[in-house]
Amino acid sequence: MSDERSDGLGDADAAQSRYDQARYVENGEYEPLLSEKDRTRVEIGGSGDDGNGADSEDGGSPLPDDLTRDSLELPELSEPELARHYTRLSQMIYGIDSGPYPLGSCTMKYNPKFTEDVAALPSAAVHPDRSEGSVQGTLELLYRLQDYLGRIGGMDAVTLQPPAGAAGEFVGIRVAAAYHEHNGEGHRDEVIVPESAHGTNFASAALGGYDVVSLPSDDEGRVDLEALEAALSENTAALMLTNPNTLGLFERDITEIAEMVHDVGGLLYYDGANLNALLGRARPGDMGFDVMHYNVHKTFATPHGGGGPGAGPVGVVDELAPFLPAPRVRERGEESKSGDSIYERFEPEHTIGKVHGFDGNWLVLVKAFAYIARLGDEGLADASASAVLNANYLAERIDYDVPYGPFHHEFVASAGEQDAADVAKRMLDYGVHPPTTKWPEIVPEALMTEPTEVESKDTLDRLAAAFNAVAGEDDATLEAAPERTTARRIDQTSAARSPRLSWQALDTEDES
Amino acid sequence: MHGSHATGSPYAPHTEEDRTAMLEAVGTESVEELFDIPADVRFDGDFDIDARTERETRRLVRSMLGRNDDLTELLGRGHYGYYVPSLVDHLADRSEFLTSYTQYQPEISQGFLQALFEYQSLLVELTGLEVANCSMYDAATALGEAATLADRVRDTTGHRVLVPNRLREERRSTLENYVAGTDLDVETYPGDDGNVDLAGLEDTVDEEVVMIYAENPTVRGTIEERLDAIGDLAEDNDALFALGSDPIALSLLERPVDVGADVVVGDASVLGLPTSYGMGLGLFATREDYLRQVPGRLVGASEDATDRRAFTLTLQTREQHIRRERATSNICTNQAWVALRTAMHAAVLGPSGMVDLAERDVRRARDLADRLDDIVGVRAPVHDRHHLREFVARTDQPARAVVDDLEKRGFAVHVVGDHEIQICIAGVSDDRIDRFAAAVEEVTR
């Protein structure tokens, strides 16, 4: 990278111009909101019928007044204006197609474009209430994806219904509860979660009605076996664990952990958020996990869309299969005239019912299937190999202290004396997305970094240069950052103290 | 594989030279050494999944999905196939929208945050309630979240959640799972000719009720006539009134705030998504009083360091990544991109377009029902009510046989009773509706 500037920003100039093409400023103000200009009020009703079914002659409202609202006020813009509005908005967004996105535990990796085309096939657009016979293609894809995921995770049965990873966790918790209840063990009311776990684990267990028992880490960042021993009891319903954990460390004692949990009659739950590190190298089922979710939008492929949709299929061992959400898909055991298998939906014997109004985020599942089918065994194993190599290489290249190790797909550096959130803001000035900050809390001022398998050595070197430039900067510089982005540092406190959550709230403000 | 890249994932960019240099920097001989996995849990087998080229993969999926029959769907009951303007696909597919993540760094996410702020504003206008979040998974999970909200905000010892007896079974089941960790019980109240049986509801309500849920339009497409009375009943019993609806219905029907609704849930993907096998977008709006108990993400307006308006995720202390087991919800990944599509579709329509679409749905459903009613052996609609986009018809012949015969002629409709079928006109062109009416005449002859 060219490095002529005294502040070492170098290539950040290029990034600056990218951010700035989105900035249209007139008299120091942003272009007004779509919502503030051209809002049109449409009056409704008034000329409607008498409620007996006949429209008035002038083609007014087909409903009586008392069943309709009075008016609707929304922006009314031409299509060209809208095209420019949304294009401008898109220019004020950083995506993985803009540059590296090393958000720890979020697995922001490049997604192939062809999966979008596959999901957009007209034959993929079907209604969920269609007869089984008329959607054999959809059922076959679901069946084959269930099968792929089962093999990849070492699980006996899979449901594709949960619409996100956290929804998958909730299914796992509900399945565990149903299983214990079925066995007359309904008294089990505790779920153990390591301190370093994703926040969703705690929330999903609580949503399922469980008391959460927090588990400390040992000096090396892994599950503390003595603490686990102390936490386990006849009240334990499950231990929720991810492996490698959120520090990127493999829980080497996993076999012993599984035995300890099983010995007290608990179930072992695998949080699949970090599965990217294990593809083709280890399988949760082989480690003794009884139930797991897959973040197919992370481990496999789906662009994250600014926060979803995702999909969180759940895999289980045979013993838990009867409790999975209904319906699942299976082969009927007969063939069509053209020799294809016939698929059908079925309800597991002791199903917990449904966790989504229909069958989850189908379009995401199509993309995941296409991605797995594209990569195959070799590609999947290579993805994890490259992800792990990249994490270890980047950890090696940055000047920040990186405790623990060795790492799998992610690592947690410490910003030390610097404030991790400020470090992140300053990294924006260098034209890269920063890591996840201040979490997990067991590393002070954490910079949780996951480069994923798609970044090249050159990109990692550039990323490391950004880390290292910031590492040498003083607090005043960090606190003033970012200065090269669409918006400068945003006041979070005022946003939370006086919430303005709609353009209507802004109108009220203008009036006052 | 191409060029000098190592074999394996076509999206992992290392050359052999890169790998060698990187391993050297890390200080290991091979990538395998980096996998710190004990021998007893190492996986040495294979998945037996063949790799394919991009072209082969596309062909595989296309041929598989090609097994789906090409039917004209007159299906609804919570999932609709309205025409989505091309502008939505082209702009939502811009890779900055598609390939970004949750807006944890607002300074480089202003565009998405503003789009979500506009989505929230759309829902605020449609519902009349002050607060809308920027998405849940779908209508069923949003209903589940409404019940847990009611459980948190209602300062009573009550445990009853009341839902219509004709609530879609899948919604009820999802709701049951959401409240399984609370002491809430889901119970039903009776219906009357497709709508709420007010007297029956009144008999069912007591001070133990924490939430009454109703839908407008109902699952059978009928429009509720006494939502205000349900709102009064809820208020009198210190229960939340949760109303299920969708953006098209809300653009025409009574404003939820005017009938006393405390929460509005439903599926917003009625705008922005074609039929997608049930994939949805849960809408969630409520009163400002409950702001700090709202589940999910909220985008707020603020200022940046130069005092210019800027947007950011806000009130995150409600969320799981901060509050953990005390969070208002476990939701993390939501349906942000679908919310973007919904906002775009609404913007293309504009207010007059949305009202026109809803009014057309009333007229076209009524017109088709009238035509079917003229056929001997068919009575439509069976409910003497106003309808939006769908209605139930009674057939003298068994409904199953009628529907199977219709499918052979290229039309899909619901079976909802032994002699009842349900028909939805949403997104179906006029000429297809003509052909459908003719097909019904043939199969019921």
Side-chain angles (χ1 to χ4, degrees):
Chain A
M1 59 195 271
S2 70
D3 196 2
E4 291 167 16
R5 296 176 57 108
S6 59
D7 62 2
L9 275 171
D11 278 357
D13 282 344
Q16 163 73 354
S17 61
R18 188 190 58 246
Y19 292 133
D20 264 4
Q21 68 176 325
R23 181 192 260 183
Y24 174 76
V25 179
E26 193 174 13
N27 304 324
E29 294 294 322
Y30 283 122
E31 182 182 344
L33 282 172
L34 163 76
S35 49
E36 285 175 334
K37 60 183 209 179
D38 303 313
R39 259 193 264 165
T40 300
R41 176 178 290 272
V42 173
E43 305 297 330
I44 300 166
S47 54
D49 69 7
D50 58 3
N52 293 320
D55 281 2
S56 62
E57 293 296 317
D58 61 6
S61 173
L63 293 175
D65 281 356
D66 59 354
L67 298 186
T68 59
R69 60 191 294 146
D70 298 331
S71 65
L72 181 66
E73 184 176 304
L74 292 170
E76 182 118 54
L77 283 88
S78 69
E79 182 163 329
E81 286 176 299
L82 284 172
R84 287 182 184 152
H85 174 73
Y86 285 111
T87 299
R88 186 179 75 87
L89 292 187
S90 75
Q91 288 169 334
M92 296 194 286
I93 306 170
Y94 185 99
I96 187 69
D97 285 4
S98 315
Y101 221 123
L103 270 177
S105 259
C106 299
T107 313
M108 281 297 290
K109 66 189 192 188
Y110 172 81
N111 291 286
K113 300 303 178 196
F114 85 98
T115 59
E116 295 303 308
D117 293 340
V118 164
L121 287 169
S123 49
V126 294
H127 193 285
D129 287 347
R130 289 260 298 249
S131 68
E132 279 176 6
S134 72
V135 289
Q136 282 296 301
T138 291
L139 295 180
E140 178 175 354
L141 189 145
L142 293 172
Y143 177 81
R144 288 171 72 159
L145 182 57
Q146 282 175 190
D147 179 51
Y148 278 176
L149 294 178
R151 286 189 239 175
I152 290 168
M155 290 286 157
D156 298 320
V158 173
T159 174
L160 302 174
Q161 192 173 116
E169 291 174 15
F170 182 54
V171 168
I173 289 295
R174 291 287 305 129
V175 164
Y179 169 80
H180 289 311
E181 192 71 39
H182 182 77
N183 295 334
E185 303 258 304
H187 65 276
R188 293 176 182 272
D189 59 359
E190 291 175 356
V191 168
I192 304 171
V193 184
E195 272 175 7
S196 61
H198 300 110
T200 47
N201 285 188
F202 301 89
S204 298
L207 179 58
Y210 284 99
D211 292 335
V212 178
V213 179
S214 189
L215 189 65
S217 305
D218 69 10
D219 295 341
E220 293 185 322
R222 295 183 171 82
V223 168
D224 184 326
L225 293 185
E226 281 180 27
L228 177 61
E229 185 70 54
L232 287 167
S233 75
E234 60 184 19
N235 293 325
T236 302
L239 167 64
M240 299 179 86
L241 199 62
T242 189
N243 196 16
N245 64 28
T246 57
L247 292 167
L249 309 175
F250 195 85
E251 299 284 357
R252 288 183 295 236
D253 300 321
I254 187 61
T255 309
E256 192 176 347
I257 292 170
E259 271 177 26
M260 289 166 70
V261 174
H262 291 152
D263 280 350
V264 299
L267 296 171
L268 192 56
Y269 180 91
Y270 182 80
D271 175 340
N274 296 348
L275 187 63
N276 204 40
L278 292 187
L279 292 173
R281 296 296 187 310
R283 307 193 302 175
D286 301 337
M287 296 180 209
F289 286 94
D290 305 292
V291 49
M292 69 176 287
H293 81 265
Y294 306 77
N295 294 85
V296 295
H297 52 293
K298 296 184 180 186
T299 309
F300 306 108
T302 279
H304 285 58
V314 168
V316 294
V317 296
D318 273 330
E319 268 184 301
L320 297 176
F323 303 94
L324 286 176
R328 295 182 58 230
V329 180
R330 66 184 173 199
E331 287 182 298
R332 191 188 286 172
E334 44 188 291
E335 290 181 351
S336 68
K337 281 178 208 152
S338 50
D340 296 315
S341 284
I342 293 178
Y343 298 90
E344 65 183 6
R345 306 158 111 226
F346 74 100
E347 183 164 308
E349 190 182 357
H350 306 297
T351 181
I352 61 166
K354 299 275 294 180
V355 291
H356 185 269
F358 295 98
D359 287 342
N361 281 337
W362 155 251
L363 296 178
V364 177
L365 300 173
V366 176
K367 295 176 202 181
F369 175 84
Y371 181 88
I372 296 170
R374 168 89 173 92
L375 265 65
D377 282 33
E378 193 184 28
L380 292 169
D382 184 58
S384 65
S386 295
V388 170
L389 177 60
N390 278 359
N392 282 282
Y393 178 72
L394 185 60
E396 190 65 35
R397 300 292 289 205
I398 68 172
D399 294 343
Y400 286 107
D401 181 38
V402 186
Y404 311 119
F407 304 104
H408 279 257
H409 63 308
E410 64 192 3
F411 62 86
V412 183
S414 173
E417 297 298 307
Q418 292 179 324
D419 182 292
D422 289 342
V423 168
K425 295 303 176 199
R426 183 58 176 158
M427 285 184 75
L428 300 177
D429 282 334
Y430 291 81
V432 297
H433 198 289
T436 301
T437 59
K438 305 237 181 193
W439 184 82
E441 286 156 11
I442 44 183
V443 173
E445 298 302 324
L447 300 168
M448 185 193 202
T449 312
E450 180 184 7
T452 80
E453 68 269 25
V454 303
E455 303 305 344
S456 67
K457 178 174 173 295
D458 285 351
T459 303
L460 296 177
D461 289 340
R462 199 158 59 82
L463 198 50
F467 269 103
N468 296 342
V470 178
E473 293 182 324
D474 58 39
D475 286 350
T477 305
L478 300 188
E479 284 160 20
E483 52 185 21
R484 290 153 194 275
T485 47
T486 316
R488 298 284 296 274
R489 183 85 67 108
I490 293 169
D491 185 352
Q492 301 286 350
T493 312
S494 104
R497 190 172 294 152
S498 51
R500 288 160 288 167
L501 307 175
S502 63
W503 67 59
Q504 294 87 344
L506 298 176
D507 291 349
T508 314
E509 187 178 58
D510 292 344
E511 286 158 17
S512 61
Chain B
M1 295 301 123
H2 52 89
S4 57
H5 286 188
T7 57
S9 168
Y11 315 115
H14 305 313
T15 62
E16 284 299 345
E17 288 145 13
D18 291 336
R19 272 198 189 177
T20 307
M22 292 166 79
L23 285 169
E24 199 172 309
V26 173
T28 48
E29 295 277 311
S30 74
V31 177
E32 293 312 316
E33 284 175 43
L34 296 172
F35 284 91
D36 178 28
I37 301 173
D40 62 335
V41 294
R42 250 181 203 268
F43 176 66
D44 293 323
D46 53 48
F47 304 139
D48 209 14
I49 301 172
D50 292 332
R52 296 168 177 83
T53 64
E54 181 176 310
R55 184 178 181 171
E56 286 165 349
T57 312
R58 285 177 72 140
R59 198 180 295 150
L60 168 69
V61 179
R62 193 184 305 119
S63 85
M64 207 187 314
L65 292 179
R67 294 184 65 195
N68 286 345
D69 295 339
D70 182 14
L71 299 179
T72 297
E73 295 174 340
L74 293 99
L75 297 168
R77 293 177 67 83
H79 187 75
Y80 303 96
Y82 285 96
Y83 174 75
V84 179
S86 289
L87 178 124
V88 175
D89 283 332
H90 282 268
L91 292 176
D93 279 352
R94 280 184 67 92
S95 79
E96 300 90 339
F97 283 125
L98 200 55
T99 76
S100 58
Y101 193 63
T102 306
Q103 298 76 23
Y104 294 132
Q105 297 293 341
E107 293 84 359
I108 54 169
S109 313
Q110 285 300 297
F112 218 124
L113 289 163
Q114 181 171 332
L116 293 174
F117 183 85
E118 290 172 3
Y119 166 81
Q120 290 174 181
S121 303
L122 168 73
L123 295 188
V124 166
E125 172 64 18
L126 287 171
T127 60
L129 297 168
E130 297 95 344
V131 179
N133 75 17
C134 62
S135 77
M136 315 253 59
Y137 307 128
D138 75 338
T141 54
L143 172 58
E145 299 272 12
T148 61
L149 174 90
D151 192 37
R152 287 193 297 276
V153 304
R154 273 304 179 229
D155 188 25
T156 67
T157 54
H159 60 93
R160 303 174 68 207
V161 171
L162 301 185
V163 301
N165 59 348
R166 282 218 175 94
L167 181 65
R168 238 194 112 106
E169 177 52 35
E170 293 86 346
R171 280 189 190 173
R172 164 143 188 179
S173 180
T174 303
L175 172 62
E176 301 261 15
N177 268 313
Y178 265 78
V179 303
T182 68
D183 60 357
L184 298 180
D185 296 323
V186 180
E187 297 170 29
T188 56
Y189 60 83
D192 174 22
D193 203 19
N195 283 11
V196 172
D197 171 0
L198 267 181
L201 175 61
E202 201 163 355
D203 289 344
T204 313
V205 173
D206 62 22
E207 70 279 5
E208 291 284 295
V209 173
V210 297
M211 186 174 102
I212 302 173
Y213 176 66
E215 295 182 339
N216 194 33
T218 67
V219 68
R220 295 192 150 207
T222 60
I223 296 169
E224 287 290 352
E225 286 145 32
R226 293 303 312 279
L227 288 171
D228 55 339
I230 303 171
D232 289 345
L233 262 180
E235 192 176 359
D236 292 347
N237 289 277
D238 197 30
L240 285 200
F241 177 22
L243 183 64
S245 194
D246 68 80
I248 291 175
L250 289 170
S251 64
L252 176 65
L253 304 182
E254 287 178 280
R255 241 176 20 141
V257 72
D258 295 333
V259 295
D262 301 292
V263 187
V264 177
V265 295
D267 208 305
S269 70
V270 62
L271 290 176
L273 271 190
T275 46
S276 48
Y277 200 62
M279 178 160 146
L281 164 60
L283 80 81
F284 193 101
T286 189
R287 296 182 183 279
E288 196 161 22
D289 294 351
Y290 309 135
L291 175 59
R292 281 162 210 279
Q293 292 298 328
V294 167
R297 300 234 150 81
L298 295 169
V299 176
S302 187
E303 290 79 36
D304 75 359
T306 63
D307 289 333
R308 279 196 292 241
R309 175 176 296 148
F311 300 97
T312 182
L313 294 177
T314 192
L315 299 168
Q316 293 185 68
T317 51
R318 301 166 295 107
E319 294 190 59
Q320 46 74 28
H321 64 281
I322 295 181
R323 192 58 65 83
R324 308 214 299 194
E325 67 268 30
R326 291 182 302 281
T328 51
S329 166
N330 71 334
I331 195 167
C332 179
T333 294
N334 53 14
Q335 304 285 105
W337 185 69
V338 189
L340 169 77
R341 294 180 61 97
T342 292
M344 285 177 166
H345 192 166
V348 174
L349 290 172
S352 48
M354 287 181 66
V355 174
D356 285 350
L357 182 55
E359 290 187 338
R360 220 161 51 233
D361 274 2
V362 173
R363 291 198 182 92
R364 295 173 83 227
R366 189 167 65 205
D367 291 349
L368 178 59
D370 286 349
R371 287 167 72 175
L372 298 185
D373 201 44
D374 288 343
I375 297 170
V376 177
V378 181
R379 196 184 124 215
V382 301
H383 300 303
D384 183 21
R385 302 280 181 189
H386 292 285
H387 290 77
L388 182 75
R389 74 184 154 227
E390 53 195 322
F391 59 88
V392 174
R394 187 178 167 80
T395 56
D396 288 352
Q397 294 174 33
R400 183 77 262 167
V402 170
V403 168
D404 288 348
D405 283 352
L406 283 170
E407 188 172 303
K408 287 185 194 122
R409 286 167 168 78
F411 299 96
V413 298
H414 305 272
V415 176
V416 293
D418 291 345
H419 288 271
E420 287 180 329
I421 63 176
Q422 186 167 332
I423 298 149
C424 177
I425 52 81
V428 185
S429 66
D430 288 339
D431 65 313
R432 296 262 177 150
I433 286 180
D434 289 344
R435 279 185 265 163
F436 171 73
V440 173
E441 190 150 19
E442 284 174 34
V443 305
T444 55
R445 190 172 288 157

